[in-house]
Amino acid sequence: MKQYIIRRLLQMIPTLIGISIIIFAISAMVPGDYITARANPNMSIEKQEQLRAIYGLDKPDYQRYFIWAGNMLKGNFGDSMQHKQPVTTVINTYVWNSFIMGIFALFFSWFIAMITGIFSAKFQYSFFDKVVTLLVFICMSLPSFFIGLLLIKFLALDLKLFPVGGMSTSGLNATGWTYFTDVLKHSFLPIMVLTMLSTGSLTRYFRTSMLEVIRQDYIRTARAKGLKERTVIFKHAFRNAMIPAITLLGFELPGLFGGAMILEQIFAWPGIGHIYLNSISMRDYPFMLGFTIFLAMLTLVGNLLADVLYGIADPRIRLK
Amino acid sequence: MSADVMPITENKNTKKAKAVDTPWKTAFRRFTRNKLAVIGFIMIVFMFILCFLGPVFSPHNLFDYSLKNKNLAPNSMYWLGTDKLGRDILLRMMLAGRISLLVGFVATFIAVMIGATLGALAGFYGKIIDTIIMRVADIFMALPLLPILIILGAVLSDLKVDPSSRIYYLMVIIGVLNWTTLARLVRGQILTLREQEFMQATEALGLKDGRKIFKHLLPNTIPVIIVTATLSVAGAILTESALSFLGVGVVPPTPSWGNMISAANNLIDFRKRPWLWIPPGMCILITSVAINLIGDGLRDALDPKTKK
């Protein structure tokens, strides 16, 4: 196992190099830079050149790549131009807001998907199963921004059930319980949409995996020896159906820390995705590049985690 | 070898009764038996007719700017109301649908072409070619898709790409970034197909590699390709609409469902004039639900092994 993990980690190096080249090349294609994006007409050409030299924007692209990549190896992602702080600090400041949204959505979607998945497999082809199937398809096909907008319009603006956006009421200097409930109210809608988006495919996954297990001989044996149906389903079948699903937990990693860009934008949630979208329009390269690499690393680690978890959960699988 | 003889005699007996079903016929029958899939199919046909034939019957014109008729709520003359320039929303929505559907289908076509070819090459040649192609696929898979697409969209805006040719760039970009899933699936299939007897036959016949791959191996992977392609059309349409909503996909004056929804960025339009952005949003939702239903029906019909 240890050997396997080490080998996989080593394999990540060329992949990361490839990713960094692609991402850097794309960003180098963007005409204009942070200085022009800020478009200050009062700034003289010389002053602009001076600033470029300070930020290192005057060097040719390939040199900038090596400087950037070399710094990253030392753990230095550079300074965000827009926030005037190291990229890692900016990420650390905002990523937790995204994490709050992500972790709750993860919890709810897994919970709902498990319950509905089990029951629609248990009562396959029943009315309940058919309704679930249809809902699953709708969830899988939701354009996130449109659903977000619809909910804001009807639930927040028209019915005034929830605040329109943001993470807390501005100007509210509350602490403790009041602050907590305030954030709770603000986070309800975005978490709901995020949950809806991921519940669809998860439910399908649990259903299929449950259907496979239910047909196994040991389930028949369990029934034959007179166990309660509840024990058969939840203890014998469900546990085995969970094994392949554990892999999915690894794939959730980038979603937890990567932020839901479009949803955060719509709900004005101060998460990392929101900041990232702004950085693109501000041409804040160091942050743009640094965070994209961060996302790619999360994906790679997530994939590794998925494989390792699979090996741990199912001893029949040997990782080589 | 009685097992070889058996089917032939059986075939003779049944031939009079009914013609032997081809796999396609069986698949078609299975597909039509799936109610949800058929509903999806009807929905998508409806969307196509609406978008491609609808505008012909519209009494309005996209260039009918009239300030007198601006921001009208839905009425008998303008079924879905008008926008701030007095243009008919229904007509714009149908024309936007052409663009959105086109982008979705063409982008998927590009992704399928790249994915199937590279997957087949990797699976057929193995060794170093396989390693290189799959390594590149790994890189593409780890790329955060949406951020990259947004950055590329911003690049297109900065390069001052003409709005009318922008959709072609968009198709290519979405297509090129989506080839990996299919490449992996096709490669997997080819790996097993390669070892089968009919491939030994092609070897004995002295066929060239190109012919082996494109005439004998790839046709056997068509079920997988069709299913994956169908499902990824929905993904491509959703991607395009999200990008256009953010202003980095299809940009006005070319209408697309996504950029029509960006009317919601204006608070007054968002609150008081829902007819501006709800109809195109519903179109996206209906289209992608329909495509997903069809894709699932096709999976059940074409790939009996995965049948529940």
Side-chain angles (χ1 to χ4, degrees), chain A residues 3-23:
Chain A
Q3 239 184 348
Y4 173 80
I5 295 176
I6 291 171
R7 210 162 38 92
R8 283 284 301 263
L9 285 173
L10 287 178
Q11 275 177 1
M12 272 182 204
I13 296 171
T15 319
L16 266 179
I17 294 175
I19 292 169
S20 71
I21 292 176
I22 293 181
I23 292 173

Side-chain angles (χ1 to χ4, degrees), chain A residues 82-83 90 94-95 97-98 101 165-167 257-282 287 291, chain B residues 150 246:
Chain A
Q82 189 191 349
H83 299 271
V90 180
Y94 293 100
V95 86
N97 292 341
S98 295
M101 225 164 100
M167 193 167 159
F257 293 96
M261 231 166 277
I262 295 177
L263 281 183
E264 284 177 7
Q265 176 84 357
I266 286 174
F267 286 100
W269 186 263
I272 195 77
H274 190 80
I275 302 292
Y276 183 66
L277 269 182
N278 283 341
S279 81
I280 293 176
S281 53
M282 292 293 283
F287 184 75
F291 186 66
Chain B
I150 294 172
L246 292 172

Side-chain angles (χ1 to χ4, degrees), chain B residues 47-62 88 90-98:
Chain B
M47 281 322 272
F48 263 93
I49 293 176
L50 179 76
C51 296
F52 286 88
L53 289 182
V56 181
F57 299 103
S58 172
H60 305 289
N61 184 320
L62 250 203
D88 181 36
L90 180 64
L91 178 65
R92 281 204 85 206
M93 193 184 80
M94 294 188 291
L95 293 172
R98 288 183 181 180

